[in-house]
C-alpha cells in the first residue's frame, strides 16, 4: 500500500505560491527579453579560464566562450570544431588535425589594429603546454598523461603523438581543458585571465560582478552556422545570476525571471513532479521537462585495505548489495528520476553496460549472508559506519533502515563535502557514499577507478581494489581498436568488479531540465553539457494571455 507523506505546511505554502505564480503571472515579453537567455548558477563559478574548468558550473560558463579541436554532439559523437578534419596513423598513435582558417579570437585591443586574429596551430601548442605547466597547476593536466608530444607543423596543422594507442582520446579532447587560448592575452592578464577571458566561442565575455551576475554577449564573428547556413548563435546574450538557494532559484524560474533550471532538488521535487516522475498538470501550460540518461553513477564504496571485519567480508558486502530495494528508493526519494543500478558500475548509455551483471533486491538472501557471517566470525551484532554528506542523508537512512532488517547495523556519519572528498582520497573512510560523473564518454573512464596503478590519492581508485585479471583486461582494452570487442572487454571487467563487490551501485542518474515553454532548441545530452549556441526564444502566448 502506498503511504502518503505527512502534511507539511511549509510544502503546502511553497506549492501554493508556485501554483499562483505559474497560473496567474502575466509576463510582458519585449524583443530584448527574447534575445537573452537567463539562468542561475547556485554553485557559483570559480573561473572562466578553461584550464581550470573542473566543475560543471565552470564548464557551462567556459563552453560558451571557448572552442577546442573537436566537439561532441548530443548523441556523444565526436564532431569537427576548429579542426575541420583529422587523420589517425602510426598504429593509432599519431593524430594530425587540419584546422579551419576562419576562426577568430574575440576582439581585444591587445591584438592591435584589427583587434583580433586567427586561431592557429601555434595557439593550440601554447594551450597544451600551459596545461602541462606545473606553475599553472591546472587540474586538467591529466588529460595529456597519455600524450608523448604535440606540435604545430604549420599555421593550420596540429599534430599529437600518443605514448600508446588510446581509443577514447578524441572524446578526451572534447573537454574544456583542451580549449584554445591566445598567448598574448593570457600572458598579459596572468592569473586574472580567469575574469578576463578571450576565446573563439559563440559568445564573448561582457561583465562579471562576482557572486551577483555574469553577462556574455553574442560573438558576431563566430564561425559555425546552422543546417541552412544561418550564423550561430541566435541569442544576443546570456545572463547568469548566482542565487545560492535552489528553492529561490526555482521561484525565480516559476516567475519567469530565468528560463531554465537543471536538476531535481528536494525543495521543489514534490511540488513539480509526481512520484512517477511526471510533470504535474498545474505546471504543464508554462513549463516543459526534458530528461535523459546522465553519465553519472551514484554508489557506495568500501575501502578494501581496511582491517575491519565487516568490510573485509565479501558475504557482508554482497548482503548490502541485495539488502535494499533500489526501485523503491528511487520512487520515494527521487520521484522516479534515475535508473536503479541493478547492473554494474558502467552506467546505462555507454558501450559495455550490462543490466544483468549486478545485484537485485533479495531480502532473504541478504538475511542468510548476514547469518552466515555471524556464524563464521562469532560477531553477533555486526555493524558498519557509512559516511556521507547531508545531501544524501535521506538515501543513507533509507539503506540503514532496510539493512537493519537483515541483522546488520549501519551507523550513518554526516560530514562536509570537502571533508569527505579529502578523507576518501587518503583512505580514511571504510564505507562511504560517492559518485562518478564521466570526464569523457567512454567506459574506460569508469573502469579506471579499479585499476591498481590508480590508487588514490594519486589516482581515482578510492576503494584500493586490486585484481591482476582486471589489470590485464584493462591494459588489453587500450590496444583493442574494434569497438565491439572493446565493449565486451569492458563488460567482463565490470562483471569482475561486481563479483568482488568493492562497491554498491545505487542508481544511474538522469539529466533533468525544466524550461519555459518559449525556449526552443535546448537539447539534452548524457554529459549534461549546456549548449546554448542553437537556442532560440519565442513569445509564449499562454503567458501573454
Amino acid at each position: 500500500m502506498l503511504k502518503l507523506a505527512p502534511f507539511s505546511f511549509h510544502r503546502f505554502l511553497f506549492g501554493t505560491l508556485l501554483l499562483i505564480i505559474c497560473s496567474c503571472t502575466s509576463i510582458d515579453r519585449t524583443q530584448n527579453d527574447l534575445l537573452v537567455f537567463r539562468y542561475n548558477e547556485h554553485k557559483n563559478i570559480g573561473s572562466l579560464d578553461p584550464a581550470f574548468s573542473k566543475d560543471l558550473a565552470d564548464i557551462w560558463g567556459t563552453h560558451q566562450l571557448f572552442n577546442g579541436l573537436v566537439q561532441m554532439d548530443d548523441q556523444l559523437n565526436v564532431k569537427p570544431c576548429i579542426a575541420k578534419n583529422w587523420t589517425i596513423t602510426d598504429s593509432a598513435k599519431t593524430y594530425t588535425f587540419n584546422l579551419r582558417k576562419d576562426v577568430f579570437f574575440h576582439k581585444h585591443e591587445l591584438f592591435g589594429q584589427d583587434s583580433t586574429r586567427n586561431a592557429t596551430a601555434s595557439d593550440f601548442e601554447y594551450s597544451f603546454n600551459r596545461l602541462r605547466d606545473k606553475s599553472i597547476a591546472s587540474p586538467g593536466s591529466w588529460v595529456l598523461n597519455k600524450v608523448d608530444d604535440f606540435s604545430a607543423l604549420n599555421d593550420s596543422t596540429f599534430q599529437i603523438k600518443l605514448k600508446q594507442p588510446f581509443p577514447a582520446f578524441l572524446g578526451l579532447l572534447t573537454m574544456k581543458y583542451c580549449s584554445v587560448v591566445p598567448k598574448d592575452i593570457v600572458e598579459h592578464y596572468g592569473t586574472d585571465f580567469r575574469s578576463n577571458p578571450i576565446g573563439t566561442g559563440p559568445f564573448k565575455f561582457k561583465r562579471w560582478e562576482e557572486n551577483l551576475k555574469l553577462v556574455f554577449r553574442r560573438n558576431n564573428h563566430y564561425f559555425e552556422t546552422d543546417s541552412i547556413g544561418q550564423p550561430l548563435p541566435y541569442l544576443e546574450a546570456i545572463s547568469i545570476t548566482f542565487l545560492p538557494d535552489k528553492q529561490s532559484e526555482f521561484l525565480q524560474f516559476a516567475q519567469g525571471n530565468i528560463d531554465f533550471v537543471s536538476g531535481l532538488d528536494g525543495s521543489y521535487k514534490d511540488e513539480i513532479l509526481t512520484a512517477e516522475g511526471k510533470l504535474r498538470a498545474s505546471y504543464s501550460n508554462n513549463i516543459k521537462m526534458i530528461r535523459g540518461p546522465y553519465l553519472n553513477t551514484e554508489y557506495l564504496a568500501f575501502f578494501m585495505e581496511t582491517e575491519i571485519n565487516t568490510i573485509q567480508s565479501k558475504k557482508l558486502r554482497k548482503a548490502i548489495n541485495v539488502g535494499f530495494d533500489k526501485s523503491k528508493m528511487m520512487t520515494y526519494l527521487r520521484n522516479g528520476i534515475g535508473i536503479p543500478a541493478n547492473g554494474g558500475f558502467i552506467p546505462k548509455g555507454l558501450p559495455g553496460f550490462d543490466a544483468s551483471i549486478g545485484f537485485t533486491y533479495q531480502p532473504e538472501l541478504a538475511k542468510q549472508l548476514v547469518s552466515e557471517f555471524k556464524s563464521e566470525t562469532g560477531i553477533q551484532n555486526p555493524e558498519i559506519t557509512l559516511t556521507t554528506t547531508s545531501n544524501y542523508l535521506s538515501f543513507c537512512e533509507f539503506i540503514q533502515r532496510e539493512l537493519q532488517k537483515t541483522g546488520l547495523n549501519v551507523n550513518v556519519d554526516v560530514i562536509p563535502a570537502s571533508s569527505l572528498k579529502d578523507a576518501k582520497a587518503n583512505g580514511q573512510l571504510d564505507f562511504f557514499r560517492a559518485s562518478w560523473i564521466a570526464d569523457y564518454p567512454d567506459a574506460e573512464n569508469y573502469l579506471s577507478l579499479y585499476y591498481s596503478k590508480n590508487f588514490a590519492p594519486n589516482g581515482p581508485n578510492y576503494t584500493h581494489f586490486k585484481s591482476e585479471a582486471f589489470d590485464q583486461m584493462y591494459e588489453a582494452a587500450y590496444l583493442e581498436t574494434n569497438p565491439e570487442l572493446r565493449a565486451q572487454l569492458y563488460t567482463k571487467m565490470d562483471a569482475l568488479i561486481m563479483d568482488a563487490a568493492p562497491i554498491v551501485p545505487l542508481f544511474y542518474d538522469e539529466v533533468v531540465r525544466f524550461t519555459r515553454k518559449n525556449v526552443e532548441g535546448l537539447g539534452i545530452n548524457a554529459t549534461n553539457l549546456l549548449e546554448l549556441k542553437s537556442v532560440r526564444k519565442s513569445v509564449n502566448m499562454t503567458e501573454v494571455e
Side-chain angles (χ1 to χ4, degrees), residues 282-352:
S282 54
Y283 296 94
S284 59
N285 284 340
N286 296 326
I287 293 172
K288 58 185 175 182
M289 177 179 73
I290 49 178
R291 59 188 282 193
Y294 184 20
L295 298 186
N296 174 31
T297 299
E298 299 281 344
Y299 66 105
L300 308 179
F302 302 98
F303 184 63
M304 300 298 285
E305 291 187 338
T306 184
E307 296 180 358
I308 296 177
N309 289 337
T310 48
I311 304 292
Q312 283 296 326
S313 171
K314 186 175 179 179
K315 285 185 176 178
L316 273 195
R317 297 199 303 272
K318 288 195 171 183
I320 293 172
N321 267 285
V322 300
F324 63 99
D325 189 338
K326 297 173 186 176
S327 296
K328 181 180 176 182
M329 179 181 72
M330 299 307 293
T331 297
Y332 283 98
L333 301 180
R334 291 268 299 186
N335 292 67
I337 300 296
I339 303 161
N342 294 323
F345 190 63
I346 299 172
K348 187 173 183 178
L350 279 183

Side-chain angles (χ1 to χ4, degrees), residues 128-156:
F128 279 40
N129 274 319
R130 187 167 175 258
L131 278 185
R132 279 185 165 175
D133 188 341
K134 292 183 179 179
S135 67
I136 300 294
S138 166
S141 60
W142 63 270
V143 303
L144 300 180
N145 284 350
K146 295 178 176 65
V147 173
D148 181 37
D149 191 26
F150 49 83
S151 60
L153 303 186
N154 54 52
D155 280 353
S156 58

Side-chain angles (χ1 to χ4, degrees), residues 46-111:
S47 175
L48 292 172
D49 182 342
F52 294 90
S53 291
K54 185 173 86 167
D55 299 321
L56 194 61
D58 294 354
I59 291 170
W60 281 8
T62 55
H63 184 63
Q64 317 311 323
L65 304 174
F66 295 92
N67 299 107
L69 291 164
V70 290
Q71 59 187 327
M72 192 168 293
D73 67 15
D74 286 349
Q75 286 71 50
L76 304 184
N77 299 309
V78 176
K79 299 291 187 182
C81 191
I82 293 180
K84 59 185 178 182
N85 54 56
W86 55 88
T87 57
I88 305 173
T89 56
D90 186 26
S91 301
K93 289 190 292 185
T94 299
Y95 290 68
T96 305
F97 297 90
N98 298 309
L99 310 187
R100 300 177 64 127
K101 298 179 181 180
D102 58 348
V103 180
F104 293 87
F105 286 110
H106 302 152
K107 288 193 173 185
H108 194 285
E109 60 185 13
L110 287 173
F111 285 132

Side-chain angles (χ1 to χ4, degrees), residues 281-433:
S282 54
Y283 296 94
S284 59
N285 284 340
N286 296 326
I287 293 172
K288 58 185 175 182
M289 177 179 73
I290 49 178
R291 59 188 282 193
Y294 184 20
L295 298 186
N296 174 31
T297 299
E298 299 281 344
Y299 66 105
L300 308 179
F302 302 98
F303 184 63
M304 300 298 285
E305 291 187 338
T306 184
E307 296 180 358
I308 296 177
N309 289 337
T310 48
I311 304 292
Q312 283 296 326
S313 171
K314 186 175 179 179
K315 285 185 176 178
L316 273 195
R317 297 199 303 272
K318 288 195 171 183
I320 293 172
N321 267 285
V322 300
F324 63 99
D325 189 338
K326 297 173 186 176
S327 296
K328 181 180 176 182
M329 179 181 72
M330 299 307 293
T331 297
Y332 283 98
L333 301 180
R334 291 268 299 186
N335 292 67
I337 300 296
I339 303 161
N342 294 323
F345 190 63
I346 299 172
K348 187 173 183 178
L350 279 183
F353 168 79
D354 188 330
S356 69
I357 63 175
F359 298 97
T360 57
Y361 179 45
Q362 301 176 66
E364 295 307 315
L365 176 59
K367 291 176 184 177
Q368 177 188 326
L369 291 169
V370 173
S371 180
E372 289 176 5
F373 172 83
K374 291 178 179 179
S375 299
E376 292 170 5
T377 63
I379 300 172
Q380 295 306 305
N381 294 301
E383 62 179 334
I384 190 171
T385 297
L386 171 58
T387 305
T388 185
T389 58
S390 58
N391 287 348
Y392 286 84
L393 178 59
S394 59
F395 288 89
C396 294
E397 288 181 337
F398 173 85
I399 294 166
Q400 176 189 47
R401 290 191 298 270
E402 294 294 297
L403 292 179
Q404 234 171 358
K405 302 171 187 176
T406 71
L408 176 63
N409 294 316
V410 178
N411 303 310
V412 178
D413 183 24
V414 180
I415 63 175
S418 57
S419 300
L420 189 146
K421 182 179 179 180
D422 291 340
K424 76 175 184 180
N426 292 289
Q428 297 169 352
L429 301 176
D430 296 310
F431 187 34
F432 54 91
R433 192 214 68 82

Side-chain angles (χ1 to χ4, degrees), residues 159-172:
Q159 190 173 83
I160 303 174
K161 295 185 177 182
L162 304 184
K163 299 173 184 176
Q164 64 184 70
F166 182 46
F169 183 62
L170 282 174
L172 203 63

